[in-house]
Amino acid sequence: MNRQFPCLEVHLDRLYHNAHQVISRCEEQGIQVCGVIKGVNGMPEMAHTMRKAGAVQIGTSRLEQIAQCRAAGIEGPFLLIRIPGLTELSDTVALCDMSLQSERSVLDALEQECQRQNKTHSVIVMADLGDLREGFWDRDEFVSACVHVERDLPRVHLAGVGVNLSCYGAIQPTPEKMKQLVGLARRVEDAIGRKLEIVSGGATSSYTLVHWHTMPEGINHLRIGENILLGYDLQKLWHIQDMDYLRTDTFTLTAEVIEVREKPSYPQGQFCIDAFGHKPVYEDHGIRRRALLALGRADVGELESLMPRETGVTVVGGSSDHCILDVTECPRRLEVGDTVSFSLCYSHLLYLTGREDVLVTFTGM
Ligand SMILES: *Cc1c(COP(=O)(O)O)cnc(C)c1O
């Protein structure tokens, strides 16, 4: 197969820059960083870059990605950041050094599995502070589960406690939320009579407190993916202006033009539904110059949010395998065989790196 496009170019020098910027700022405030690679399908090159920039662990939600990194010679420790199911425990113990946990029955089964494999495994027990995804809700139950690990599960090491925010519930990490987690950590420490190694305050959204120098004392760990990979969410969605020490052009997607034609912008005929069962609303802008790309929702998910790298190019829409551009205002006169490049956001990256038929190239290393 002579596939050249779509092509995802990975700018490893820019990714190293972002990783270094984020991790060094965290380190200055006594916070270690787990570099999260689930947004790029566990790409070992990304894990390597994050480790080189000082990530203390590599984290991902999928065991397959950890297996892939290990096979590629990436050194751990590896942190499993989706709480494992019972059926995942044998691979969790075999492949991961540490995992997030939120169920007492899973912790007990983890002890059994550790005995079976004659290994030890570290855990970060999760508290839910309002975002309503994973984590203990009842504070006493949380503390007693931590004490149970410490006292009754000799092969499971209680490394620390953690929280996740702004994922399901869109709850903002604030100094108050962080202080609640530190308070829970202190309760656990009082009960077990020793310090915890890790108090993990969250993901990219919690990095805002590092940036603003408002992170409370006691948080010493974050799990960061997006802000290293793309630097997009906090700068473009949270509108944080002075975070321009992070690059947002760390990946370039390039696709091939397969048709260029002047066409009406308003469909003609009787309306039914589109390829995904929706009834979109169309606006009539008259005759426009439109380019069709060999790229679709199967490759990137949502097409409309792709960010063209040149002026005068607008994504109009598309379907599973086609992307329609309006190029009427583009100074470059596009022809069949030309290519068009885009910057990406997280969901695009997630879909693109999960496909076998998207070429991935590495530059800047
Ligand atoms: C995905 C995830 C992260 C990393 O999130 P980013 O927003 O990419 O930094 C951290 N922790 C958990 C539990 C996650 O699921």
Side-chain angles (χ1 to χ4, degrees), residues 29-33 196-201 216 218-222:
Q29 299 182 34
I31 293 169
Q32 296 195 313
V33 174
L196 292 170
E197 294 118 62
I198 294 175
V199 183
S200 188
I219 300 291
N220 64 11
H221 185 267
L222 292 177

Side-chain angles (χ1 to χ4, degrees), residues 36 38 61 81-82 100 126 133-134 164 167 202-205 223-227 233 346:
V36 175
K38 71 187 183 197
S61 50
I81 60 171
R82 179 173 68 187
L100 306 186
M126 300 295 280
R133 201 177 71 182
E134 75 276 45
N164 199 64
C167 271
T204 287
S205 56
R223 313 170 304 269
I224 299 180
E226 198 282 335
N227 208 36
D233 286 5
Y346 192 82

Side-chain angles (χ1 to χ4, degrees), residues 35-204:
V36 175
I37 56 171
K38 71 187 183 197
V40 287
N41 195 23
M43 205 178 267
E45 292 83 355
M46 194 61 240
H48 179 71
T49 303
M50 286 178 170
R51 293 266 341 162
K52 223 172 53 175
V56 293
Q57 300 114 4
I58 294 301
T60 186
S61 50
R62 310 274 172 155
L63 290 158
E64 287 77 3
Q65 295 175 8
I66 294 174
Q68 181 194 346
C69 279
R70 284 205 184 276
I74 304 296
E75 282 190 31
F78 290 96
L79 168 61
L80 186 67
I81 60 171
R82 179 173 68 187
I83 53 169
L86 291 170
T87 61
E88 294 179 311
L89 289 182
S90 61
D91 289 323
T92 301
V93 171
L95 291 166
C96 311
D97 306 276
M98 198 184 286
S99 57
L100 306 186
Q101 297 285 340
S102 73
E103 286 281 0
R104 204 171 162 129
S105 58
V106 176
L107 286 162
D108 288 337
L110 184 63
E111 172 69 25
Q112 299 286 308
E113 187 57 41
C114 283
Q115 281 182 18
R116 211 166 291 135
Q117 295 189 29
N118 193 26
K119 284 183 116 174
T120 58
H121 183 86
S122 295
V123 295
I124 298 174
V125 178
M126 300 295 280
D128 188 333
L129 299 181
D131 200 59
L132 308 184
R133 201 177 71 182
E134 75 276 45
F136 284 89
W137 183 253
D138 184 277
R139 307 278 165 100
D140 295 333
E141 195 188 340
F142 170 82
V143 174
S144 90
C146 290
V147 172
H148 175 61
V149 172
E150 180 76 1
R151 298 221 177 116
D152 309 327
L153 309 183
R155 289 175 179 271
V156 179
H157 172 62
L158 178 68
V161 298
V163 69
N164 199 64
L165 292 163
S166 65
C167 271
Y168 169 72
I171 295 302
Q172 186 173 349
T174 55
E176 289 66 42
K177 290 285 180 201
M178 295 297 114
K179 280 180 194 155
Q180 285 175 26
L181 181 66
V182 174
L184 283 171
R186 297 296 166 256
R187 273 187 66 185
V188 172
E189 287 173 343
D190 287 346
I192 64 176
R194 67 167 176 91
K195 294 287 272 181
L196 292 170
E197 294 118 62
I198 294 175
V199 183
S200 188
T204 287

Side-chain angles (χ1 to χ4, degrees), residues 313-330:
V313 176
T314 313
V315 180
V316 173
S319 54
S320 314
D321 301 292
H322 297 81
C323 177
I324 305 166
L325 303 177
D326 186 319
V327 296
T328 317
E329 319 290 343
C330 185

